[in-house]
Amino acid sequence: MVIRRGDHPVEKREHARGGDGTVVLNHLATEEQMFHHCRMVVRAVIEPGSSMGYHAHENEIEFFYVLSGALEVNDNGNTVVVYPGDTVFSAEGEGHSLRAHGDKPAEYLAVVVRR
């Protein structure tokens, strides 16, 4: 199966998880296509001035890979800036928030896997 660019369902989340501005999620596959093992596989874009608020992952893990731009990540209370090629992993019970860092959008691939 091929899903062409532009055919992925797009979701715009205003104040995602209590954050600022808008986060755009391009859903790359449905839960059914992933046999319900993954809750989410998305290409996400956070515009400058926007963020995803702090949240913890229960009964799931998440990793994301930065594609472009830079993200300021609160990784369990430790703030770090990540760049293209960097990966962030949140184990079960851990949490994070994400904010676009700088004056360019931050784009990343995120995968959330159920326990």
Side-chain angles (χ1 to χ4, degrees):
M1 172 190 290
V2 174
I3 304 170
R4 298 279 183 198
R5 183 180 202 173
D7 290 339
H8 299 110
V10 177
E11 177 185 359
K12 293 183 179 182
R13 289 189 183 177
E14 300 291 330
H15 306 289
R17 304 227 184 223
D20 299 320
T22 304
V23 176
V24 178
L25 304 174
N26 294 273
H27 293 271
L28 304 180
T30 65
E31 289 186 59
E32 292 78 18
Q33 289 168 326
M34 297 178 289
F35 302 106
H36 298 278
H37 295 292
C38 290
R39 181 171 65 81
M40 182 183 301
V41 176
V42 297
R43 182 178 58 84
V45 179
I46 301 179
E47 294 292 331
S50 294
S51 66
M52 180 171 291
Y54 190 86
H55 59 282
H57 290 273
E58 300 299 330
N59 298 311
E60 62 187 21
I61 61 170
E62 178 179 15
F63 73 89
F64 59 89
Y65 177 82
V66 182
L67 299 168
S68 65
L71 284 168
E72 180 181 286
V73 179
N74 174 344
D75 180 29
N76 293 295
N78 181 30
T79 301
V80 63
V81 177
V82 294
Y83 299 94
D86 292 341
T87 300
V88 177
F89 176 78
S90 292
E92 184 176 2
E94 295 182 344
H96 59 242
S97 64
L98 312 169
R99 175 176 297 281
H101 182 76
D103 60 356
K104 295 181 180 165
E107 182 179 9
Y108 60 97
L109 176 68
V111 179
V112 180
V113 180
R114 290 192 166 94
R115 182 171 188 253

